Amino acid sequence: MTSDKVDPQQGPDAFLDLVGQLIAIQPDLTPIQASILIAAQQDIAHDSRTFARLLGLSHALVLRELNTLLQTDDVLKLVKRDDRTLRTHYDLGRH
């Protein structure tokens, strides 16, 4: 994964550039999965609700993509999950 930090002054384009770079390196990732990873790396979001809200996505869609990442690779690790809301907290699994 890329280690560059996004300058908040650059706006969403810098974030999307990092997502594109990650997809180029790991083409098996969906755009949402790559965005989840970049958001965690950039300390933008470390839970499913925050990520969904910030990117304007449904929480259910984010949970589906997040669960796929958590099951298929050690890139992310589960920190905790709220049984009632399903809000899932995660962090990068390897650096």
Side-chain angles (χ1 to χ4, degrees), residues 8-92:
Q9 300 298 323
Q10 293 175 317
D13 289 338
F15 177 81
L16 293 175
D17 286 344
L18 290 177
V19 170
Q21 290 173 26
L22 182 55
I23 290 173
I25 295 168
Q26 294 181 271
D28 55 319
L29 292 173
T30 67
I32 294 174
Q33 290 170 351
S35 297
I36 290 169
L37 293 172
I38 294 297
Q41 179 203 33
Q42 297 291 314
D43 291 324
I44 295 169
H46 289 277
D47 72 83
S48 57
R49 282 263 184 227
T50 300
F51 179 82
R53 181 180 47 81
L54 290 174
L55 272 71
L57 299 170
S58 76
H59 189 233
L61 178 60
V62 170
L63 285 173
R64 184 174 62 211
E65 297 289 337
L66 179 58
N67 285 327
T68 299
L69 280 174
L70 289 168
Q71 292 174 5
T72 60
D73 207 341
D74 63 346
V75 174
L76 284 181
K77 64 180 176 184
L78 178 66
V79 174
K80 71 178 179 175
R81 187 180 318 240
D82 184 299
D83 290 336
R84 186 179 59 80
T85 66
L86 298 180
R87 177 180 235 159
T88 303
H89 296 261
Y90 53 88
D91 205 352
L92 295 175

